[in-house]
Amino acid sequence: MAPQRGVPCLVLLVSGKRKSGKDFVAEALRSRLGEDVCAVLRLSGPLKEQYAQERPGRPVVWTFVLSGQEHGLDFQRLLGASTYKEAYRKDMIRWGEEKRQADPGFFCRKVVEGISQPIWLVSDTRRLSDIQWFREAYGAMTQTVRVVASEQSRQQRGWEFTPGVDDAESECGLDDFGAFDWVLENHGDERRLEEQLENLVAFVQSRRPCRVPGAADAAPLPDVWSPTPAEGPADA
């Protein structure tokens, strides 16, 4: 069930492979829409926070106390793109899967708590269960955005295949999803990417409801949207 507080006007579920540029795209969209209008949500945030609380770190970066137990993982360093995060990635994936099997909506509910902006951009959608949860909770307000990049482009950004990571559900869970509302190509052509971002921003702005600042006279979102055809191939 969706939280009663903080119902969004639009939810963009962004997905893509490692080093495809999905975080870059998410931040680019937020900068164009404005931080008062658009919130970037990361499902990995509550996952890493919970993981840091429940897993002792070696070596201990700092030790904090939660619910009477001591834990030593550095939550902020787990959020970044660093060797620190990579050292724990496989175990985080395994631990996260255990949590999802017990409760598929656990991290989705956590990430939307207390969000006040009308447009939500989930920058790390990875599984069909993530899309299902948001669609069940927010219905036609949900749009899926796939960021694709060639392996060569990803390698230039530092990607290399890692067994247990790149062949896990966290990377492959949406490979066969297919029916994305939007597909953004990020192969390194900045002009092409900018054109696609402008099209998506125009779509969002054309559907801004009256509670978005500066859009007091705008019509509310329709009950059912006609999805915009995806641009480009769904696979990379």
Side-chain angles (χ1 to χ4, degrees):
M1 294 292 292
Q4 294 300 309
R5 182 183 177 187
V7 177
C9 308
L10 176 63
V11 181
L12 299 176
L13 302 178
V14 180
S15 65
K17 298 287 189 178
R18 287 200 302 141
K19 301 297 182 180
S20 63
K22 56 185 179 295
D23 287 330
F24 175 84
V25 165
E27 292 300 333
L29 288 170
R30 177 165 64 174
S31 69
R32 287 161 173 77
L33 295 168
E35 294 185 4
D36 58 333
V37 171
C38 177
V40 173
L41 314 180
R42 293 182 173 87
L43 293 170
S44 60
L47 186 155
K48 291 170 182 175
E49 184 174 21
Q50 292 289 317
Y51 177 81
Q53 291 171 1
E54 295 186 20
R55 286 292 187 274
R58 299 181 179 86
V60 173
V61 178
W62 72 57
T63 299
F64 56 96
V65 177
L66 181 71
S67 301
Q69 294 184 333
E70 292 187 348
H71 304 270
L73 290 187
D74 187 332
F75 167 56
Q76 293 300 324
R77 291 178 69 189
L78 286 174
L79 288 176
S82 65
T83 54
Y84 183 86
K85 178 183 72 175
E86 294 303 321
Y88 293 100
R89 182 185 288 272
K90 287 185 180 180
D91 191 55
M92 276 196 295
I93 290 173
R94 182 193 58 76
W95 178 87
E97 292 304 327
E98 292 175 356
K99 284 288 188 182
R100 287 187 180 88
Q101 288 173 8
D103 181 359
F106 180 81
F107 298 114
C108 296
R109 289 194 304 275
K110 287 282 186 183
V111 80
V112 302
E113 290 177 354
I115 305 301
S116 60
Q117 291 94 326
I119 297 172
W120 297 356
L121 201 164
V122 182
S123 66
D124 58 352
T125 309
R126 296 181 182 276
R127 296 165 178 80
L128 181 59
S129 60
D130 298 335
I131 295 176
Q132 290 173 334
W133 187 89
F134 278 97
R135 282 181 169 175
E136 290 174 3
Y138 303 110
M141 291 180 284
T142 303
Q143 291 269 294
T144 55
V145 181
R146 184 69 166 179
V147 181
V148 300
S150 65
E151 284 196 3
Q152 180 180 359
S153 296
R154 295 166 63 205
Q155 288 168 350
Q156 290 173 347
R157 298 167 191 153
W159 174 79
E160 61 179 38
F161 183 85
T162 303
V165 174
D166 291 293
D167 52 3
E169 185 184 6
S170 58
E171 286 296 309
C172 304
L174 295 177
D175 283 0
D176 299 323
F177 179 71
F180 294 101
D181 298 307
W182 298 83
V183 176
L184 306 184
E185 298 178 3
N186 186 27
H187 306 304
D189 185 335
E190 294 182 7
R191 180 176 297 180
R192 172 60 178 157
L193 179 60
E194 181 63 30
E195 291 174 353
Q196 296 171 96
L197 289 173
E198 288 178 358
N199 289 338
L200 182 51
V201 168
F203 168 81
V204 173
Q205 291 178 333
S206 73
R207 286 158 172 77
R208 293 196 307 180
C210 58
R211 72 189 186 96
V212 174
D217 298 325
L221 291 169
D223 291 335
V224 178
W225 293 356
S226 297
T228 301
E231 300 178 14
D235 299 315

